[in-house]
Amino acid sequence: SQTIHQWPATLVQPVGSPLSLECTVEGTSNPNLYWYRQAAGRGLQLLFYSVGIGQISSEVPQNLSASRPQDRQFILSSKKLLLSDSGFYLCAWSDRGQGRSPLHFGNGTRLTVT
Amino acid sequence: AQKITQTQPGMFVQEKEAVTLDCTYDTSDQSYGLFWYKQPSSGEMIFLIYQGSYDEQNATEGRYSLNFQKARKSANLVISASQLGDSAMYFCAMRVNTGFQKLVFGTGTRLLVSP
């Protein structure tokens, strides 16, 4: 069966420090991969998505970047964190081209920028 | 632009009763999909149920059913026989047709089930 791993679960970082969040998927090939952010008490906002290795699309301009070095690995990064980067970050995967296929989410990373 | 609206920030229900969580959507696409997710306090997003725009029958998954009214653009989630473990945030989401599975989420409804 397919599983998605996301780490770390919680992170406290000072303003101006770098960030690296990692997500890996097991049990499937060629998945679509996604990074979402959830601000406190809000819905989910799509940050990045990827349909293949090295193929990254950004939904909103921001201080963050994403990379997909391997088929089932998705990394969210920042060179210098801002206070506004605080939030709950969720990685997700879905099957390719399957309209009925839901997004499957990881357990999330709670990031606090101080 | 595609948009999901959940007008109930919080809902209360007693154990064993049924509850309806509202969701309305806005899209000009003819083909779309609607999803409901549950988010417990631990944070993970749990997929509950899916309804396609061309599905002739309302979707059901165990105690979850979706009251899909296409003309009114609503896709309400009905939870029957509520349990204490149903206490969580519930999000309605719509698949946007961009060639991949992009979901647009509503702001969610917090459900509290009391004994």
Side-chain angles (χ1 to χ4, degrees), chain B residues 17-69:
Chain B
E17 292 185 349
V19 63
T20 297
L21 306 183
D22 294 342
C23 172
T24 58
Y25 58 92
D26 185 20
T27 182
S28 56
D29 292 337
Q30 296 301 308
S31 175
Y32 51 88
L34 297 155
F35 300 78
W36 277 91
Y37 283 85
K38 172 184 178 181
Q39 187 179 41
S41 57
S42 53
E44 74 267 31
M45 295 287 285
I46 302 167
F47 166 67
L48 297 177
I49 197 167
Y50 169 83
Q51 179 82 44
S53 58
Y54 291 121
D55 292 344
E56 294 184 353
Q57 294 191 350
N58 287 342
T60 60
E61 289 286 349
R63 294 187 298 111
Y64 304 108
S65 61
L66 206 151
N67 183 2
F68 182 47
Q69 299 186 44

Side-chain angles (χ1 to χ4, degrees), chain A residues 10-74:
Chain A
T10 60
L11 192 58
V12 180
Q13 292 283 98
V15 168
S17 64
L19 172 74
S20 180
L21 303 181
E22 192 162 341
C23 171
T24 59
V25 181
E26 296 178 357
T28 187
S29 298
N30 302 317
N32 291 331
L33 296 174
Y34 309 81
W35 279 109
Y36 277 85
R37 177 169 61 197
Q38 184 179 23
R42 305 279 300 274
L44 277 68
Q45 179 187 37
L46 179 63
L47 301 177
F48 300 95
Y49 65 90
S50 171
V51 298
I53 296 174
Q55 301 178 61
I56 309 294
S57 296
S58 173
E59 283 290 294
V60 293
Q62 60 210 313
N63 186 42
L64 302 167
S65 62
S67 61
R68 184 171 178 174
Q70 300 180 41
D71 180 47
R72 290 170 288 175
Q73 184 184 25
F74 206 23

